[in-house]
Amino acid sequence: MHKILIVDDDQTHRQMIDTILRKDGYDIYQADDGDQAIDNVQKQFFDIILMDIRMKRMDGISALKAIKKLSPSIPVIIMTAFSSVNTAVDALKSGAYDYLTKPVDSDELSILIKKVLHLNQLEKENVYLKERLGKTFHFKNIIGNSAAIQPLFEAMTLSSPTDATILISGESGTGKELIANAIHENSPRKDMPLIKLNCAALPESLLESELFGHLKGAFTGAATNKKGRFHLAHKGTIFLDEIADMPLSTQSKILRVIQEQEFEPLGGTQTIKVDVRIIAATNRNLKEAVQTGRFREDLYFRLNVIHLKVPPLKERSEDIPLLTEFFLKKFTQKNKRFIKGLTPKGMDILMRYDWPGNIRELQNVIERSVIMSRGDLIEPDVFPEPLKKLYQSSNENRMALNVGKSLKDMEKEMILLTLKKTNGNRTHTADILGISRRTLQLKLKEYGVH
Ligand SMILES: Nc1ncnc2c1ncn2[C@@H]1O[C@H](COP(=O)(O)OP(=O)(O)O)[C@@H](O)[C@H]1O
Ligand SMILES: [Mg+2]
C-alpha cells in the first residue's frame, strides 16, 4: 500500500485530506509541523508528502529542503493559500513536485496523487532497467559486445548473485578464470575469499591434500597440520580449474562436498563442515569424458546445473577491435609507449587470424607489438610468425590492379603468379585460370618461360 504523509498545522484541513485519501485506499500518516514531518521521514519511507507551506513552527520551505536532503526522491506536494502563489513558485524551485491551492479540491487531489504515483512507478522501473542493462556490461574488465557473448553475460548476470554451482567451459585463453573472478565479485560472497586450484597441476595425493588439508603425519612429508582449500574458502567461493583432469577418486570426494558440504582432512577423522560455492572450469568436453569413463556422471550433472559456455575468439571476431583497443591502452600505459593504434593492414590481419590461443594470444600479440613498434602505429611486420605468415601469404596471393597497366601485362602477371603458387604445375595453373593447357604453353613461350 502507498504511504502518504500529510503535514499541516490546521487540524481540520489535515483531517479533511486524510478522509479523502483514505477513501482512495492509501495508508495515511499525519504531522502537524515541519519538525514532526522530518522526524517521520527519518523513520520510514513515504511515497508522497503533502505539505502546507505556512506553518507556525518550521515553515514548509525549510521542511521541504530538509526532507529533500534526507530523501531526494520523495515527491513533495505543497499546499498553499491562493494569495501566496509566489511562495509556491519558491517551493517548486526548492524541489517541490507540484502545488495545490487551499482549500484543496478533492477530485484535483485524487488525480494528482494518482499521477505522481504512476510517474514514480515508471521512474523506478526505469532505474531498475538501467541497473540491469548496466549490469549486463558491468563485469569489470570483461570486454565484449558481440552477439556471441551476450548469452554469456546474461547468464552471468542471473547466476552471479546465487549460490549455484557453475561450470565454465571453453578453449584455453577464452577468459574462464576472468569470468570466475567476475562471478565471485558480483556475488554476496564477494567480501569472503575466492580460492583457486588448478586440478591438472598436481599429482593425485598432493591434489587431495591441497583440497581437503591434512593433519601432521598423514603421509611422509606432512610435517604440520595444513588447512585445505575448501576450508580456506569457507563462506566464499572455490574455483576448480581444469576439473576434467581430476582423478576419479578425488571426483567422488568433491561430489560429497557439493552434496553434503563436508569432508575430512587427510589423516583425520573429524568431519569439517563448510559453506562453499563451487565454480569449476574445463577446456575439455566433460560429456565426452563421462562417456569414456574418465569423469563421474553424477558429478557432471551436479556441476552442470549452470553451464557457461565461453565462445572461442574466432567465433566472436567482432570483439577483436574492442579487445585490441583495451589491450593497447593497458600495455602502452604499462610500458610507457605512445601508440595510437594499428595500420589498417595490421587490423585486417588480427581480424583474419584464427586465434588458437584465443584472448590470451591476442593480449600477448598486442603487448609484444607495443614493445616492438618503432612508430606510433603498429605495422604487421612486428607481429609474431603465424600472423606474419598470414600477411605474407596474403601479399603473395594478391596482385595490384593499378590503373596504367595494359590487359596484356596483367594477364602475364596473373599467369606467372599462379604458376608460382602451384609450384610450376602447368595443368593445375591452366585449370585455375580457366584456359587450356595448350593456350598456357603458348603464352609462356611468348613470355620466354620454358
Ligand atoms: N573478455 C575479455 N576481456 C579482457 N581480457 C580478457 C577477456 N577474456 C580473457 N581475457 C584475458 O585473457 C587472458 C586469459 O584469460 P583466462 O581467464 O586466464 O582464460 P582461461 O582461463 O579460459 O584460459 C587473461 O589475461 C585475461 O585477463
Ligand atoms: Mg585458465
Side-chain angles (χ1 to χ4, degrees):
M1 206 197 300
H2 292 295
K3 274 189 192 173
I4 300 177
L5 176 66
I6 306 168
V7 193
D8 197 332
D9 57 355
D10 175 349
Q11 209 252 335
T12 328
H13 194 252
R14 207 167 69 216
Q15 199 48 50
M16 181 197 89
I17 294 178
D18 185 301
T19 312
I20 299 170
L21 293 179
R22 226 171 260 280
K23 250 199 302 192
D24 287 346
Y26 303 116
D27 192 7
I28 308 297
Y29 291 74
Q30 297 189 8
D32 70 2
D33 68 12
D35 281 330
Q36 237 186 57
I38 293 164
D39 199 43
N40 268 285
V41 174
Q42 263 162 348
K43 289 188 189 123
Q44 54 188 319
F45 294 103
F46 290 100
D47 295 291
I48 295 183
I49 297 174
L50 271 166
M51 186 157 59
D52 183 18
I53 212 163
R54 269 202 200 143
M55 290 177 292
K56 272 176 256 132
R57 274 187 298 236
M58 188 190 227
D59 72 291
I61 300 263
S62 315
L64 170 67
K65 286 182 181 156
I67 286 169
K68 282 278 154 181
K69 241 186 217 149
L70 275 174
S71 181
S73 59
I74 296 186
V76 180
I77 296 169
I78 292 294
M79 298 179 291
T80 170
F82 187 67
S83 58
S84 56
V85 170
N86 280 341
T87 342
V89 173
D90 287 344
L92 291 180
K93 282 186 189 150
S94 310
Y97 182 88
D98 206 340
Y99 71 91
L100 290 166
T101 44
K102 271 172 129 179
V104 169
D105 175 76
S106 72
D107 286 343
E108 202 184 345
L109 175 66
S110 290
I111 291 168
L112 180 60
I113 297 284
K114 272 199 198 102
K115 190 179 102 186
V116 173
L117 288 174
H118 181 63
L119 283 176
N120 223 23
Q121 182 61 28
L122 285 181
E123 223 162 71
K124 263 188 210 146
E125 279 166 13
N126 216 353
V127 167
Y128 174 71
L129 271 178
K130 267 191 209 142
E131 262 174 16
R132 259 182 67 97
L133 277 179
K135 271 241 172 74
T136 314
F137 303 100
H138 199 260
F139 292 106
K140 237 195 327 189
N141 293 339
I142 301 192
I143 308 298
N145 211 356
S146 59
I149 202 83
Q150 296 308 324
L152 178 68
F153 282 153
E154 182 71 29
M156 284 172 71
T157 307
L158 293 173
S159 57
S160 294
T162 71
D163 271 342
T165 300
I166 292 184
L167 175 65
I168 308 172
S169 69
E171 291 175 13
S172 182
T174 48
K176 299 185 293 296
E177 187 169 344
L178 193 66
I179 288 165
N181 285 329
I183 290 172
H184 176 74
E185 283 308 315
N186 284 281
S187 80
R189 295 172 180 260
K190 67 172 188 292
D191 296 323
M192 302 306 281
L194 168 64
I195 303 286
K196 301 180 181 180
L197 187 64
N198 185 334
C199 304
L202 297 168
E204 180 170 347
S205 57
L206 266 183
L207 177 64
E208 293 207 353
S209 136
E210 280 301 325
L211 284 168
F212 309 114
H214 62 245
L215 296 179
K216 182 178 170 181
F219 49 86
T220 345
T224 55
N225 291 353
K226 186 182 168 184
K227 272 191 185 174
R229 305 272 170 123
F230 271 110
H231 206 154
L232 297 172
H234 183 51
K235 298 270 182 205
T237 308
I238 195 165
F239 175 57
L240 302 174
D241 205 358
E242 314 283 9
I243 189 117
D245 294 298
M246 184 180 277
L248 281 164
S249 60
T250 315
Q251 288 175 27
S252 57
K253 293 185 182 166
I254 296 286
L255 184 67
R256 178 166 164 228
V257 183
I258 294 181
Q259 285 173 337
E260 319 285 344
Q261 297 267 297
E262 63 178 37
F263 60 89
E264 284 98 34
L266 269 60
T269 47
Q270 188 199 6
T271 302
I272 297 172
K273 286 237 160 231
V274 285
D275 165 17
V276 174
R277 181 190 202 178
I278 298 179
I279 304 179
T282 178
N283 55 15
R284 304 230 196 126
N285 187 331
L286 267 196
K287 215 174 185 173
E288 243 171 59
V290 169
Q291 276 153 10
T292 54
R294 280 177 296 118
F295 204 80
R296 288 183 67 117
E297 188 173 34
D298 44 10
L299 179 57
Y300 170 68
F301 284 126
R302 281 287 175 173
L303 292 175
N304 200 35
V305 179
I306 293 176
H307 187 170
L308 304 181
K309 292 179 187 156
V310 195
L313 184 53
K314 64 169 175 283
E315 283 173 21
R316 44 183 287 220
S317 52
E318 307 104 280
D319 284 336
I320 290 175
L322 215 59
L323 282 161
T324 301
E325 196 184 314
F326 174 75
F327 292 135
L328 261 178
K329 198 165 159 199
K330 176 170 165 185
F331 294 119
T332 46
Q333 271 167 12
K334 181 178 158 202
N335 297 294
K336 304 200 169 51
R337 302 294 294 262
F338 179 75
I339 286 176
K340 279 193 294 205
L342 283 87
T343 61
K345 246 184 225 152
M347 198 64 211
D348 180 52
I349 286 172
L350 296 189
M351 294 297 287
R352 282 191 295 125
Y353 184 57
D354 62 359
W355 302 108
N358 293 293
I359 299 180
R360 182 179 291 116
E361 188 180 10
L362 174 62
Q363 177 170 282
N364 292 343
V365 166
I366 301 297
E367 173 156 36
R368 171 194 156 113
S369 304
V370 164
I371 294 167
M372 303 294 281
S373 282
R374 286 155 200 269
D376 59 0
L377 285 176
I378 294 174
E379 297 267 8
D381 59 350
V382 297
F383 287 163
E385 252 342 287
L387 285 100
K388 227 191 247 169
K389 244 184 222 138
L390 202 64
Y391 172 55
Q392 284 153 354
S393 73
S394 75
N395 269 359
E396 282 166 11
N397 287 328
R398 247 182 233 168
M399 54 180 266
L401 289 169
N402 293 334
V403 174
K405 267 184 209 167
S406 71
L407 284 173
K408 221 171 170 54
D409 284 345
M410 289 207 0
E411 183 182 85
K412 179 178 170 185
E413 206 177 313
M414 191 77 205
I415 288 172
L416 293 178
L417 199 60
T418 311
L419 195 65
K420 191 173 155 208
K421 269 318 268 193
T422 60
N423 295 319
N425 184 329
R426 297 188 177 192
T427 313
H428 196 182
T429 300
D431 272 354
I432 292 174
L433 294 169
I435 55 178
S436 70
R437 211 183 122 87
R438 201 182 128 67
T439 311
L440 179 65
Q441 304 279 31
L442 287 172
K443 302 254 182 211
L444 290 176
K445 203 166 166 193
E446 193 186 315
Y447 308 148
V449 180
H450 299 287

